[in-house]
Amino acid sequence: MLRFVSAALAATLVLLASPAGAQTTPDYSAVQIKTTDLGHGTYELEGMGGNMTVAVTPAGAILVDSEFAPLHDKIKAAIAAISPLPVKILINTHYHGDHTGGNAAFAAEGALIVAHINVRNRLISPAPNALTGAVPPAVPAAALPLRTYTDTTTVELGGRTARIAHIANAHTDGDSYIYFADADVLATGDIVTLGRFPNIDVANGGNIKGMIAGSDAYIALADDNTKIVPGHGPLTNKAGVIAYRAMLATCRDRIAALIASGKSEADVVAANPLADIAVKLGADSTAAANFTRLVYRSLKPAN
Ligand SMILES: [Zn+2]
């Protein structure tokens, strides 16, 4: 359990991009799981960590992401309030601890964990975080996906289908999105993070270019009625992803221009090129500097 908590803290440290030293142990006991009915037996669950999506079927539930290990009982209770059947399939959008912390506990109750092959690889041996140097501890074998895929796959349960597809080198190198066509619900993983600067895990294969390409894929897939569950932040729609994609492209273009003019990473951070975007997001200067560094490293990798 302690190993899971430390992994969770490492992930939170990066995701919140808070100043060093400002971290405190999350109070999981205070977390309440909020359930939003998206229609057609499909729900969004929000607690602490990545947003979750649940598809209820007559053969059990399909759950997308599992937040932190200490929240398992609360997540399970929230699902029990919408279906008497347990989670049979757990799909991970990527390897980060705030999306996979509950894996072992759900697997112990019979859920098959499904993810891109690089989720399994990164859970076994993650690279140190690019900004903090923190290395998430290895997770127990029980938390690893047993069914992996590389390009696209589908999961079928109780007459419902989850379409799963990989977006290369975006938030990480193992990102999946999950689309429930019958409910017109799209779970994006952290390629879409709203209300703050997203994280790009460049040490584990993430890249701003893939974040934008992934957003483009979501815009192409969605219509105006599609309900879009982002990795973090409020439920959104196609228009919301279009605006988010434009923000990402602006960040990329400004930092690419500074790189083209010969600026170092320190120069680019000092130029504070995302100040206006930080104001719009309500993000502090540390978060803006961190995101600037991650975009810089995406566009101009070391070596
Ligand atoms: Zn993440």
Short mmCIF file of all heavy atoms in Angstrom, two decimals, residues 225-284:
data_model
loop_
_atom_site.label_atom_id
_atom_site.label_comp_id
_atom_site.label_asym_id
_atom_site.label_seq_id
_atom_site.Cartn_x
_atom_site.Cartn_y
_atom_site.Cartn_z
N ASN A 225 -22.78 16.25 -30.59
CA ASN A 225 -23.48 15.63 -29.46
C ASN A 225 -22.58 14.73 -28.62
O ASN A 225 -23.03 14.23 -27.57
CB ASN A 225 -24.65 14.79 -29.98
CG ASN A 225 -25.68 15.65 -30.69
OD1 ASN A 225 -26.04 16.73 -30.21
ND2 ASN A 225 -26.14 15.21 -31.85
N THR A 226 -21.36 14.49 -29.07
CA THR A 226 -20.47 13.57 -28.35
C THR A 226 -20.13 14.14 -26.97
O THR A 226 -19.77 15.31 -26.84
CB THR A 226 -19.17 13.36 -29.16
OG1 THR A 226 -19.54 12.90 -30.46
CG2 THR A 226 -18.27 12.33 -28.48
N LYS A 227 -20.28 13.29 -25.97
CA LYS A 227 -19.90 13.68 -24.60
C LYS A 227 -18.45 13.25 -24.39
O LYS A 227 -18.11 12.08 -24.55
CB LYS A 227 -20.84 13.02 -23.59
CG LYS A 227 -22.27 13.58 -23.68
CD LYS A 227 -23.33 12.57 -23.29
CE LYS A 227 -23.46 11.47 -24.30
NZ LYS A 227 -24.58 11.55 -25.25
N ILE A 228 -17.60 14.20 -24.06
CA ILE A 228 -16.16 13.94 -24.01
C ILE A 228 -15.68 14.06 -22.56
O ILE A 228 -15.77 15.13 -21.95
CB ILE A 228 -15.40 14.90 -24.94
CG1 ILE A 228 -15.88 14.70 -26.40
CG2 ILE A 228 -13.89 14.69 -24.83
CD1 ILE A 228 -15.22 15.62 -27.43
N VAL A 229 -15.17 12.93 -22.05
CA VAL A 229 -14.63 12.88 -20.69
C VAL A 229 -13.12 13.12 -20.79
O VAL A 229 -12.38 12.27 -21.30
CB VAL A 229 -14.89 11.52 -20.03
CG1 VAL A 229 -14.29 11.46 -18.63
CG2 VAL A 229 -16.40 11.23 -19.98
N PRO A 230 -12.64 14.30 -20.33
CA PRO A 230 -11.21 14.56 -20.40
C PRO A 230 -10.48 13.82 -19.29
O PRO A 230 -11.11 13.35 -18.33
CB PRO A 230 -11.13 16.08 -20.20
CG PRO A 230 -12.29 16.38 -19.30
CD PRO A 230 -13.38 15.39 -19.67
N GLY A 231 -9.16 13.73 -19.40
CA GLY A 231 -8.39 13.09 -18.34
C GLY A 231 -8.53 13.81 -17.01
O GLY A 231 -8.59 13.17 -15.95
N HIS A 232 -8.57 15.12 -17.08
CA HIS A 232 -8.77 15.96 -15.90
C HIS A 232 -9.62 17.15 -16.32
O HIS A 232 -9.53 17.61 -17.45
CB HIS A 232 -7.43 16.46 -15.33
CG HIS A 232 -6.53 15.36 -14.88
ND1 HIS A 232 -6.56 14.85 -13.59
CD2 HIS A 232 -5.59 14.64 -15.54
CE1 HIS A 232 -5.66 13.88 -13.48
NE2 HIS A 232 -5.06 13.74 -14.65
N GLY A 233 -10.40 17.67 -15.38
CA GLY A 233 -11.24 18.82 -15.66
C GLY A 233 -12.65 18.42 -16.02
O GLY A 233 -12.99 17.24 -16.06
N PRO A 234 -13.50 19.41 -16.27
CA PRO A 234 -14.93 19.15 -16.46
C PRO A 234 -15.25 18.47 -17.79
O PRO A 234 -14.54 18.62 -18.78
CB PRO A 234 -15.54 20.55 -16.42
CG PRO A 234 -14.44 21.49 -16.77
CD PRO A 234 -13.17 20.84 -16.29
N LEU A 235 -16.35 17.73 -17.76
CA LEU A 235 -16.90 17.10 -18.97
C LEU A 235 -16.95 18.14 -20.08
O LEU A 235 -17.30 19.30 -19.86
CB LEU A 235 -18.31 16.61 -18.65
CG LEU A 235 -19.04 15.79 -19.72
CD1 LEU A 235 -18.39 14.42 -19.86
CD2 LEU A 235 -20.52 15.66 -19.35
N THR A 236 -16.61 17.73 -21.30
CA THR A 236 -16.57 18.71 -22.39
C THR A 236 -17.20 18.13 -23.65
O THR A 236 -17.89 17.10 -23.60
CB THR A 236 -15.12 19.21 -22.61
OG1 THR A 236 -15.13 20.32 -23.50
CG2 THR A 236 -14.22 18.10 -23.18
N ASN A 237 -17.01 18.84 -24.76
CA ASN A 237 -17.59 18.43 -26.04
C ASN A 237 -16.62 18.81 -27.15
O ASN A 237 -15.50 19.25 -26.88
CB ASN A 237 -18.97 19.07 -26.22
CG ASN A 237 -18.91 20.60 -26.12
OD1 ASN A 237 -17.84 21.20 -26.29
ND2 ASN A 237 -20.03 21.22 -25.84
N LYS A 238 -17.07 18.62 -28.38
CA LYS A 238 -16.19 18.87 -29.52
C LYS A 238 -15.68 20.32 -29.51
O LYS A 238 -14.48 20.56 -29.73
CB LYS A 238 -16.93 18.57 -30.82
CG LYS A 238 -16.10 18.76 -32.07
CD LYS A 238 -16.84 18.24 -33.30
CE LYS A 238 -15.99 18.40 -34.55
NZ LYS A 238 -16.58 17.69 -35.70
N ALA A 239 -16.56 21.26 -29.24
CA ALA A 239 -16.14 22.67 -29.22
C ALA A 239 -15.06 22.91 -28.16
O ALA A 239 -14.12 23.68 -28.37
CB ALA A 239 -17.34 23.58 -28.98
N GLY A 240 -15.22 22.22 -27.03
CA GLY A 240 -14.23 22.36 -25.96
C GLY A 240 -12.87 21.84 -26.38
O GLY A 240 -11.83 22.43 -26.05
N VAL A 241 -12.86 20.74 -27.11
CA VAL A 241 -11.58 20.18 -27.57
C VAL A 241 -10.98 21.04 -28.68
O VAL A 241 -9.75 21.21 -28.74
CB VAL A 241 -11.74 18.71 -28.01
CG1 VAL A 241 -10.43 18.15 -28.56
CG2 VAL A 241 -12.22 17.85 -26.85
N ILE A 242 -11.83 21.63 -29.50
CA ILE A 242 -11.31 22.54 -30.54
C ILE A 242 -10.59 23.73 -29.89
O ILE A 242 -9.49 24.13 -30.30
CB ILE A 242 -12.46 23.01 -31.47
CG1 ILE A 242 -12.91 21.83 -32.35
CG2 ILE A 242 -12.02 24.20 -32.31
CD1 ILE A 242 -14.16 22.11 -33.18
N ALA A 243 -11.19 24.28 -28.84
CA ALA A 243 -10.56 25.42 -28.15
C ALA A 243 -9.27 24.98 -27.46
O ALA A 243 -8.26 25.71 -27.48
CB ALA A 243 -11.54 26.00 -27.13
N TYR A 244 -9.29 23.82 -26.87
CA TYR A 244 -8.10 23.28 -26.19
C TYR A 244 -6.98 23.04 -27.20
O TYR A 244 -5.82 23.39 -26.96
CB TYR A 244 -8.50 21.98 -25.50
CG TYR A 244 -7.37 21.15 -24.94
CD1 TYR A 244 -6.75 21.51 -23.75
CD2 TYR A 244 -6.93 19.99 -25.60
CE1 TYR A 244 -5.71 20.73 -23.23
CE2 TYR A 244 -5.91 19.22 -25.09
CZ TYR A 244 -5.31 19.59 -23.90
OH TYR A 244 -4.29 18.82 -23.39
N ARG A 245 -7.33 22.48 -28.34
CA ARG A 245 -6.35 22.21 -29.39
C ARG A 245 -5.71 23.51 -29.87
O ARG A 245 -4.49 23.57 -30.11
CB ARG A 245 -7.04 21.49 -30.55
CG ARG A 245 -6.12 20.87 -31.58
CD ARG A 245 -5.85 21.80 -32.74
NE ARG A 245 -5.06 21.13 -33.75
CZ ARG A 245 -4.18 21.74 -34.54
NH1 ARG A 245 -3.98 23.04 -34.43
NH2 ARG A 245 -3.51 21.06 -35.44
N ALA A 246 -6.51 24.55 -29.98
CA ALA A 246 -5.98 25.85 -30.40
C ALA A 246 -4.99 26.39 -29.37
O ALA A 246 -3.95 26.96 -29.73
CB ALA A 246 -7.13 26.84 -30.61
N MET A 247 -5.29 26.19 -28.09
CA MET A 247 -4.37 26.61 -27.02
C MET A 247 -3.05 25.86 -27.15
O MET A 247 -1.96 26.47 -27.08
CB MET A 247 -5.03 26.37 -25.66
CG MET A 247 -4.20 26.80 -24.45
SD MET A 247 -2.97 25.59 -23.89
CE MET A 247 -4.05 24.35 -23.15
N LEU A 248 -3.12 24.56 -27.35
CA LEU A 248 -1.88 23.77 -27.48
C LEU A 248 -1.06 24.25 -28.68
O LEU A 248 0.17 24.38 -28.60
CB LEU A 248 -2.21 22.29 -27.68
CG LEU A 248 -2.83 21.52 -26.52
CD1 LEU A 248 -3.04 20.06 -26.94
CD2 LEU A 248 -1.99 21.59 -25.25
N ALA A 249 -1.74 24.52 -29.78
CA ALA A 249 -1.03 24.94 -30.99
C ALA A 249 -0.37 26.30 -30.78
O ALA A 249 0.75 26.54 -31.26
CB ALA A 249 -1.99 24.97 -32.17
N THR A 250 -1.06 27.18 -30.05
CA THR A 250 -0.47 28.49 -29.75
C THR A 250 0.81 28.32 -28.93
O THR A 250 1.84 28.96 -29.21
CB THR A 250 -1.49 29.36 -28.99
OG1 THR A 250 -2.62 29.56 -29.82
CG2 THR A 250 -0.88 30.71 -28.60
N CYS A 251 0.75 27.47 -27.92
CA CYS A 251 1.93 27.22 -27.09
C CYS A 251 3.07 26.67 -27.94
O CYS A 251 4.22 27.11 -27.86
CB CYS A 251 1.59 26.24 -25.96
SG CYS A 251 0.38 26.85 -24.78
N ARG A 252 2.74 25.68 -28.76
CA ARG A 252 3.76 25.09 -29.63
C ARG A 252 4.38 26.15 -30.55
O ARG A 252 5.61 26.24 -30.66
CB ARG A 252 3.12 23.99 -30.49
CG ARG A 252 4.07 23.40 -31.54
CD ARG A 252 3.32 22.69 -32.65
NE ARG A 252 2.42 23.61 -33.35
CZ ARG A 252 1.49 23.24 -34.22
NH1 ARG A 252 1.31 21.96 -34.49
NH2 ARG A 252 0.71 24.14 -34.81
N ASP A 253 3.54 26.95 -31.18
CA ASP A 253 4.05 27.91 -32.16
C ASP A 253 4.93 28.97 -31.51
O ASP A 253 5.97 29.34 -32.06
CB ASP A 253 2.87 28.58 -32.89
CG ASP A 253 2.12 27.59 -33.77
OD1 ASP A 253 2.65 26.48 -34.02
OD2 ASP A 253 1.00 27.93 -34.21
N ARG A 254 4.53 29.46 -30.35
CA ARG A 254 5.33 30.50 -29.68
C ARG A 254 6.71 29.95 -29.28
O ARG A 254 7.72 30.62 -29.44
CB ARG A 254 4.61 31.01 -28.44
CG ARG A 254 3.39 31.86 -28.77
CD ARG A 254 2.73 32.34 -27.50
NE ARG A 254 1.48 33.01 -27.77
CZ ARG A 254 0.64 33.42 -26.83
NH1 ARG A 254 0.94 33.24 -25.54
NH2 ARG A 254 -0.48 34.02 -27.15
N ILE A 255 6.70 28.74 -28.75
CA ILE A 255 7.97 28.18 -28.27
C ILE A 255 8.84 27.74 -29.45
O ILE A 255 10.06 27.93 -29.42
CB ILE A 255 7.68 27.07 -27.25
CG1 ILE A 255 7.08 27.73 -25.98
CG2 ILE A 255 8.95 26.27 -26.91
CD1 ILE A 255 6.45 26.80 -25.01
N ALA A 256 8.22 27.25 -30.51
CA ALA A 256 8.98 26.90 -31.72
C ALA A 256 9.66 28.14 -32.29
O ALA A 256 10.82 28.08 -32.75
CB ALA A 256 8.06 26.27 -32.75
N ALA A 257 8.98 29.27 -32.25
CA ALA A 257 9.56 30.50 -32.79
C ALA A 257 10.77 30.93 -31.96
O ALA A 257 11.79 31.39 -32.50
CB ALA A 257 8.51 31.61 -32.81
N LEU A 258 10.68 30.78 -30.66
CA LEU A 258 11.81 31.14 -29.79
C LEU A 258 12.99 30.19 -30.01
O LEU A 258 14.15 30.63 -30.03
CB LEU A 258 11.37 31.13 -28.32
CG LEU A 258 10.41 32.28 -27.96
CD1 LEU A 258 9.73 32.02 -26.62
CD2 LEU A 258 11.15 33.61 -27.92
N ILE A 259 12.69 28.90 -30.19
CA ILE A 259 13.76 27.93 -30.49
C ILE A 259 14.42 28.31 -31.82
O ILE A 259 15.65 28.30 -31.95
CB ILE A 259 13.19 26.50 -30.53
CG1 ILE A 259 12.76 26.05 -29.13
CG2 ILE A 259 14.22 25.52 -31.12
CD1 ILE A 259 12.00 24.73 -29.09
N ALA A 260 13.60 28.67 -32.80
CA ALA A 260 14.13 29.01 -34.13
C ALA A 260 15.03 30.24 -34.06
O ALA A 260 15.95 30.40 -34.87
CB ALA A 260 12.98 29.24 -35.10
N SER A 261 14.78 31.10 -33.06
CA SER A 261 15.61 32.30 -32.93
C SER A 261 16.85 32.03 -32.07
O SER A 261 17.58 32.96 -31.73
CB SER A 261 14.79 33.45 -32.36
OG SER A 261 14.51 33.21 -30.99
N GLY A 262 17.04 30.77 -31.71
CA GLY A 262 18.29 30.39 -31.03
C GLY A 262 18.23 30.42 -29.52
O GLY A 262 19.26 30.30 -28.84
N LYS A 263 17.04 30.57 -28.95
CA LYS A 263 16.93 30.67 -27.48
C LYS A 263 17.14 29.31 -26.82
O LYS A 263 16.68 28.28 -27.31
CB LYS A 263 15.53 31.17 -27.10
CG LYS A 263 15.16 32.51 -27.70
CD LYS A 263 15.85 33.66 -27.02
CE LYS A 263 15.23 35.00 -27.43
NZ LYS A 263 16.18 36.11 -27.20
N SER A 264 17.82 29.34 -25.69
CA SER A 264 17.98 28.14 -24.86
C SER A 264 16.70 27.90 -24.08
O SER A 264 15.80 28.76 -24.03
CB SER A 264 19.13 28.34 -23.87
OG SER A 264 18.74 29.33 -22.92
N GLU A 265 16.63 26.73 -23.43
CA GLU A 265 15.44 26.46 -22.60
C GLU A 265 15.29 27.53 -21.52
O GLU A 265 14.19 28.03 -21.27
CB GLU A 265 15.56 25.07 -21.97
CG GLU A 265 14.36 24.72 -21.09
CD GLU A 265 14.41 23.30 -20.55
OE1 GLU A 265 14.72 22.37 -21.31
OE2 GLU A 265 14.12 23.12 -19.34
N ALA A 266 16.40 27.90 -20.88
CA ALA A 266 16.34 28.92 -19.82
C ALA A 266 15.87 30.25 -20.39
O ALA A 266 15.08 30.97 -19.75
CB ALA A 266 17.71 29.06 -19.15
N ASP A 267 16.35 30.59 -21.59
CA ASP A 267 15.92 31.84 -22.24
C ASP A 267 14.41 31.82 -22.49
O ASP A 267 13.72 32.83 -22.27
CB ASP A 267 16.59 31.99 -23.62
CG ASP A 267 18.09 32.26 -23.53
OD1 ASP A 267 18.55 32.72 -22.47
OD2 ASP A 267 18.79 31.99 -24.54
N VAL A 268 13.94 30.68 -22.98
CA VAL A 268 12.52 30.58 -23.33
C VAL A 268 11.66 30.69 -22.06
O VAL A 268 10.65 31.40 -22.04
CB VAL A 268 12.23 29.27 -24.09
CG1 VAL A 268 10.74 29.08 -24.31
CG2 VAL A 268 12.96 29.28 -25.43
N VAL A 269 12.09 30.01 -21.01
CA VAL A 269 11.33 30.10 -19.75
C VAL A 269 11.33 31.54 -19.25
O VAL A 269 10.29 32.07 -18.83
CB VAL A 269 11.92 29.13 -18.70
CG1 VAL A 269 11.30 29.39 -17.32
CG2 VAL A 269 11.69 27.68 -19.13
N ALA A 270 12.49 32.20 -19.34
CA ALA A 270 12.59 33.60 -18.85
C ALA A 270 11.71 34.53 -19.67
O ALA A 270 11.20 35.53 -19.16
CB ALA A 270 14.05 34.05 -18.91
N ALA A 271 11.52 34.21 -20.95
CA ALA A 271 10.68 35.06 -21.81
C ALA A 271 9.20 34.94 -21.46
O ALA A 271 8.39 35.77 -21.89
CB ALA A 271 10.89 34.67 -23.28
N ASN A 272 8.85 33.92 -20.69
CA ASN A 272 7.47 33.74 -20.20
C ASN A 272 6.45 33.83 -21.34
O ASN A 272 5.51 34.63 -21.28
CB ASN A 272 7.18 34.80 -19.12
CG ASN A 272 6.00 34.41 -18.25
OD1 ASN A 272 5.52 33.28 -18.29
ND2 ASN A 272 5.51 35.36 -17.46
N PRO A 273 6.62 32.99 -22.36
CA PRO A 273 5.80 33.17 -23.58
C PRO A 273 4.34 32.75 -23.41
O PRO A 273 3.53 33.04 -24.29
CB PRO A 273 6.50 32.24 -24.59
CG PRO A 273 7.14 31.18 -23.76
CD PRO A 273 7.59 31.88 -22.50
N LEU A 274 4.01 32.09 -22.30
CA LEU A 274 2.64 31.60 -22.11
C LEU A 274 1.91 32.36 -21.01
O LEU A 274 0.92 31.87 -20.45
CB LEU A 274 2.66 30.09 -21.80
CG LEU A 274 3.50 29.22 -22.76
CD1 LEU A 274 3.40 27.75 -22.37
CD2 LEU A 274 3.08 29.43 -24.21
N ALA A 275 2.40 33.57 -20.70
CA ALA A 275 1.85 34.31 -19.56
C ALA A 275 0.35 34.54 -19.69
O ALA A 275 -0.41 34.37 -18.73
CB ALA A 275 2.58 35.64 -19.40
N ASP A 276 -0.10 34.93 -20.88
CA ASP A 276 -1.54 35.23 -21.05
C ASP A 276 -2.38 33.96 -20.93
O ASP A 276 -3.51 33.99 -20.40
CB ASP A 276 -1.78 35.92 -22.39
CG ASP A 276 -1.30 35.09 -23.58
OD1 ASP A 276 -0.25 34.40 -23.45
OD2 ASP A 276 -1.97 35.10 -24.63
N ILE A 277 -1.83 32.85 -21.41
CA ILE A 277 -2.56 31.57 -21.31
C ILE A 277 -2.65 31.13 -19.85
O ILE A 277 -3.69 30.65 -19.40
CB ILE A 277 -1.89 30.51 -22.20
CG1 ILE A 277 -2.02 30.94 -23.67
CG2 ILE A 277 -2.50 29.13 -21.97
CD1 ILE A 277 -1.19 30.13 -24.64
N ALA A 278 -1.56 31.36 -19.11
CA ALA A 278 -1.58 31.03 -17.68
C ALA A 278 -2.67 31.81 -16.96
O ALA A 278 -3.39 31.26 -16.12
CB ALA A 278 -0.21 31.30 -17.06
N VAL A 279 -2.82 33.07 -17.31
CA VAL A 279 -3.86 33.89 -16.68
C VAL A 279 -5.24 33.30 -16.98
O VAL A 279 -6.08 33.14 -16.09
CB VAL A 279 -3.77 35.36 -17.16
CG1 VAL A 279 -5.00 36.14 -16.71
CG2 VAL A 279 -2.49 36.00 -16.63
N LYS A 280 -5.45 32.93 -18.24
CA LYS A 280 -6.76 32.36 -18.62
C LYS A 280 -7.04 31.06 -17.88
O LYS A 280 -8.18 30.77 -17.53
CB LYS A 280 -6.78 32.07 -20.13
CG LYS A 280 -7.11 33.29 -20.97
CD LYS A 280 -7.30 32.85 -22.44
CE LYS A 280 -7.00 34.03 -23.35
NZ LYS A 280 -6.64 33.61 -24.72
N LEU A 281 -5.98 30.26 -17.65
CA LEU A 281 -6.16 28.97 -16.98
C LEU A 281 -6.17 29.11 -15.46
O LEU A 281 -6.45 28.15 -14.76
CB LEU A 281 -5.03 28.01 -17.39
CG LEU A 281 -5.04 27.51 -18.84
CD1 LEU A 281 -3.79 26.69 -19.12
CD2 LEU A 281 -6.29 26.67 -19.11
N GLY A 282 -5.81 30.29 -14.97
CA GLY A 282 -5.66 30.44 -13.52
C GLY A 282 -4.46 29.68 -13.00
O GLY A 282 -4.42 29.26 -11.85
N ALA A 283 -3.46 29.49 -13.87
CA ALA A 283 -2.25 28.73 -13.50
C ALA A 283 -1.18 29.68 -12.97
O ALA A 283 -1.09 30.83 -13.39
CB ALA A 283 -1.72 27.98 -14.72
N ASP A 284 -0.37 29.17 -12.04
CA ASP A 284 0.68 30.03 -11.49
C ASP A 284 1.92 30.01 -12.38
O ASP A 284 1.99 29.29 -13.38
CB ASP A 284 1.00 29.65 -10.04
CG ASP A 284 1.60 28.25 -9.91
OD1 ASP A 284 2.11 27.71 -10.90
OD2 ASP A 284 1.56 27.71 -8.78
#
